[in-house]
Each structure stands twice: as C-alpha cells, then as structure tokens.
Amino acid sequence: MTDIITEQATAAASGAAATEQFRSKQRAERIDADTKRVDTLVTELLTAAHDILCRHKVTYAEYDALKSWLIQVGEDGEWPLFLDVWLEHVVEEVAGQSREGSIEGPYYVPGAPRLPAEATLPMREDEVGTPLLFQGQVTGVDGVPLSGATVEMWHADDDGYYSQFAPGLPEWNLRGTVIADEQGNFKIHTIQPAPYQIPTDGSCGRLITAAGWHAWRPAHLHLKVSAPGHQLITTQLYFEGGEYVTDDIASAVKPELVLDPTPVADDSGREVTYNFALDTA
Ligand code: MBD
Ligand code: FE
C-alpha cells in the first residue's frame, strides 16, 4: 500500500458510520405495528429470556455484565453490526425472497457511481488483489432479458476493509452501480475481496472473545440486482474453497451462492459467470 495510513480502523468509527447509514435509509422508517403484534413478539422474546435466566441460574454479576455490555454496544454504534451478523440471516430466510437471496449486512451505501455494462469498479491505482471478472445476464424468471437492469456491487478490499466504513479509502472504492446492456448483460472488472473480520476492538469483538468464537466472514461480493417491474434481489456470493465458507460468523452462506471462478487465458486473474433471474413485482 502506498498511502500512508494515519488513522486506524476502529469499531466505534465503523459502527457510527453503519448507524448513520441505517438511519438514512427508507426501511428504517417507523412502521405502524399493531398493539397485538407488539404484545405477542415482545412477550415471547421476554419469556424466552426469563426462561434462560432461570434455567442457567444467571447471577446478579452476570446480569450487570450483560447490562454494561448492552450499553456499550449502543455507545460503539455496533447495533447494526450485531443484528446483521447474528439475526439478519433468519429474517432473510423467513422473508424467503428467493433461493438466490442473502443478507444485506451493515455496509451498503446507495448511490454508488453509475457505470456502463462493461466496467471496472472504482479502485485505487495500486489496488491489491487478484483481478476478477464477474459477468452474467439479468433476465426475468421467464428467461426474457431485462434491458438496462441495474447491478449494484460492493465489497471489501484485500485487507478486508469497506470504503466509507474504514479510514483512508477513496469514497466509492470497490462500489459501483452497473447498468446492464439491452440484453441484460454485464461485465464487472474488480479484484477478489479478502475474508472479512468484524471489528475486534468493540463490544461485538468483546462478545466474540468472551464466547471463544472467531470474528470472520468468508470473502464475499455484495449485490443488489433490480429492474423496473421486477423484485429486487439482495444477495452475496462467496468463493469455493475459501476460508470460513463453511464457518461464517454471520451464517449467511448457501451452497447456491458459492462461485468457482476459473483462471483467465493469460493467467492475469480469474473470471466467473453468474446470472440473475428476477421475479415479477
Ligand atoms: C459484513 O461485511 C457483512 O457482509 C455482514 C453481513 C455483517 C458484517 C460485515
Ligand atoms: Fe460484507
């Protein structure tokens, strides 16, 4: 890396950015849940907690440790991280969007630079990592090509950092909004991301250490694929044989989401084809 890093990535800084990002998006708007549903869900959640406290004879010292940890999660801004790592995968399964779907995670930023159907994601001149060509076609479930479909891609760099959530990276590094051609085809040139370690210096990190877990997600590409009149697919794609593919801290790997890129002819990188079939809205 040629840039001199003057600022360290911290849990609190990436947590604050993720909290800010979440607050600004549509889905975070208040919903008018009816009283009965709130009563049911919260009562069941509390009853499950009461049961655990009783069965394990949780002490006052442990209760206070929990209380202080929960307070710290908020102060670190790590609620988006905690929830997306340990709960979102079940919400996604229940939503059952499609077999192709996966969780969004805390690091999506809307409005990445718009790019033509064949494009290179914004990256530094000396971006480290194996070049990867990710190409494919967006169609409807009926196989009809979706002209001008939008393929948004975002992923970590070779050090496992996401732009806008770690210091020292160009604003839109490794983030782009690719507009497919008339046949729904796209070719995205990027680099293969590295496995991602969730911040270890914040409250989620403390939990992981305290529980003897590891903090890793396998290397992954994030995607949102959409077209007018069709349902958005939010997904992630992983790499065959990669570290943590069978042991993701966020439990978000599905076999159909694992890519197996092949070396390109001159051995200058790898390429893979992956198609998207969107349901009608
Ligand atoms: C990530 O990069 C991610 O994709 C998820 C789901 C949670 C934490 C970090
Ligand atoms: Fe991610």
Side-chain angles (χ1 to χ4, degrees), residues 18-35:
T19 298
E20 186 55 39
Q21 200 48 242
F22 176 72
R23 284 197 170 130
S24 69
K25 77 177 178 187
Q26 197 74 9
R27 219 174 60 188
E29 273 176 17
R30 283 198 48 179
I31 58 162
D32 260 329
D34 71 85
T35 312

Side-chain angles (χ1 to χ4, degrees), residues 81 84-85 103-107 162 196 198 217 220 222 236 250:
L81 181 68
D84 293 355
V85 166
I103 62 179
E104 178 175 314
Y107 303 142
Y162 285 87
Y196 173 81
I198 75 164
R217 298 212 61 221
H220 57 278
H222 287 274
Q236 294 189 27

Side-chain angles (χ1 to χ4, degrees), residues 233-255:
I233 290 180
T234 298
T235 193
Q236 294 189 27
L237 297 170
Y238 306 91
F239 299 92
E240 182 67 44
E243 261 190 302
Y244 308 108
V245 168
T246 56
D247 189 21
D248 174 12
I249 191 181
S251 312
V253 180
K254 301 176 189 180

Side-chain angles (χ1 to χ4, degrees), residues 97 152 224-227 230-234 278-279:
Q97 329 165 20
E152 286 179 274
K224 279 184 185 281
V225 182
S226 59
H230 290 76
Q231 284 177 42
L232 167 78
I233 290 180
T234 298
L278 305 190
D279 280 311

